[in-house]
Amino acid sequence: GAVVSQHPSRVICKSGTSVKIECRSLDFQATTMFWYRQFPKQSLMLMATSNEGSKATYEQGVEKDKFLINHASLTLSTLTVTSAHPEDSSFYICSAFTGEDTEAFFGQGTRLTVV
Amino acid sequence: RKEVEQDPGPFNVPEGATVAFNCTYSNSASQSFFWYRQDCRKEPKLLMSVYSSGNEDGRFTAQLNRASQYISLLIRDSKLSDSATYLCVVNHQAGTALIFGKGTTLSVSS
């Protein structure tokens, strides 16, 4: 099946620094990718929809200047958490559809810890 | 009100037990329905799609009731390896973002 690769799987950073998370579709082209965040014992919450070649669409309450999304190619979307704070510590995960069916494929997720 | 609601559990059952999970969704325009499984600190993985006619895959049976906006998952003959969080998921339109419930935690013990 289709594969979505996310990197890094785990990152620890200092408060105030920025962290970039990459999401790649390995064997298909993804014009749209989705970024989710999951806090402990909570559901996956959609943060934004990443659109190739255009601006991302952010969900209500998600700061676009803090969570920068770039989808410069059909196989790569990046999420940059800028000026990270401890409350940004969470599990971030991306997903994409192949376009051929309704199954979504997920990256492996990134566990971010801000200290 | 959350768009997808599930009983978080945990459900603690012995091996061999039958366990049922329920889920309700609020948007009647939802088009697609799924159960995903998520293991601790891992990405969710599709368990099965859910149809009004019912869907069975081995020990797993899923059912959708559109009138009641209710989705169910039945697991028969539980195995230790079934221990995980089961996520009820809906989709408003093909190709748009999935909407997740909070998940129901299942723990199967020997």
Side-chain angles (χ1 to χ4, degrees):
Chain A
V3 177
V4 175
S5 178
Q6 188 173 340
H7 177 81
S9 59
R10 184 186 298 266
V11 59
I12 301 173
C13 71
K14 290 186 177 180
S15 189
T17 61
S18 295
V19 174
K20 180 185 282 189
I21 302 170
E22 293 187 348
C23 180
R24 293 181 185 273
S25 56
L26 297 186
D27 52 2
F28 66 99
Q29 294 182 330
T31 56
T32 302
M33 289 187 177
F34 304 96
W35 287 97
Y36 294 84
R37 178 169 54 183
Q38 186 180 32
F39 291 107
K41 300 188 186 300
Q42 300 296 316
S43 60
L44 277 78
M45 295 299 296
L46 179 67
M47 298 176 66
T49 301
S50 172
N51 304 298
E52 187 270 334
S54 64
K55 291 182 179 180
T57 304
Y58 290 82
E59 296 300 299
Q60 191 173 13
V62 178
E63 300 173 58
K64 62 180 181 181
D65 294 329
K66 180 170 180 63
F67 299 98
L68 301 180
I69 290 174
N70 184 284
H71 195 151
S73 78
L74 288 170
T75 59
L76 174 64
S77 176
T78 62
L79 168 67
T80 301
V81 182
T82 63
S83 187
H85 289 98
E87 57 265 31
D88 298 323
S89 299
S90 187
F91 186 61
Y92 293 85
I93 191 163
C94 64
S95 77
F97 292 96
T98 62
E100 297 173 359
D101 53 45
T102 57
E103 180 177 355
F105 293 90
F106 287 84
Q108 298 92 331
T110 298
R111 189 158 301 279
L112 170 64
T113 302
V114 184
V115 297
Chain B
R1 182 186 170 191
K2 294 192 188 304
E3 185 156 357
V4 180
E5 299 228 44
Q6 296 179 250
D7 178 352
F11 283 64
N12 298 305
V13 302
E15 275 187 290
T18 295
V19 61
F21 302 143
N22 304 316
C23 164
T24 57
Y25 62 95
S26 60
N27 190 330
S28 60
S30 299
Q31 293 189 1
S32 304
F33 308 87
F34 310 92
W35 282 100
Y36 275 74
R37 169 188 171 135
Q38 186 176 28
D39 292 286
C40 189
R41 297 173 179 265
K42 300 283 188 183
E43 76 273 23
K45 297 199 170 162
L46 179 65
L47 180 64
M48 58 198 308
S49 300
V50 190
Y51 308 108
S52 298
S53 56
N55 187 22
E56 184 172 322
D57 183 3
R59 298 181 293 108
F60 299 84
T61 301
Q63 189 73 50
L64 166 67
N65 184 320
R66 282 190 179 270
S68 303
Q69 294 180 203
Y70 173 91
I71 304 164
S72 65
L73 176 67
L74 184 74
I75 304 176
R76 291 180 297 278
D77 189 23
S78 299
K79 311 291 184 191
L80 293 175
S81 57
D82 294 334
S83 298
T85 297
Y86 291 83
L87 305 170
C88 179
V89 183
V90 304
N91 191 214
H92 293 161
Q93 184 178 342
T96 63
L98 300 180
I99 300 164
F100 289 82
K102 200 171 175 178
T104 299
T105 300
L106 172 65
S107 177
V108 182
S109 56
S110 58

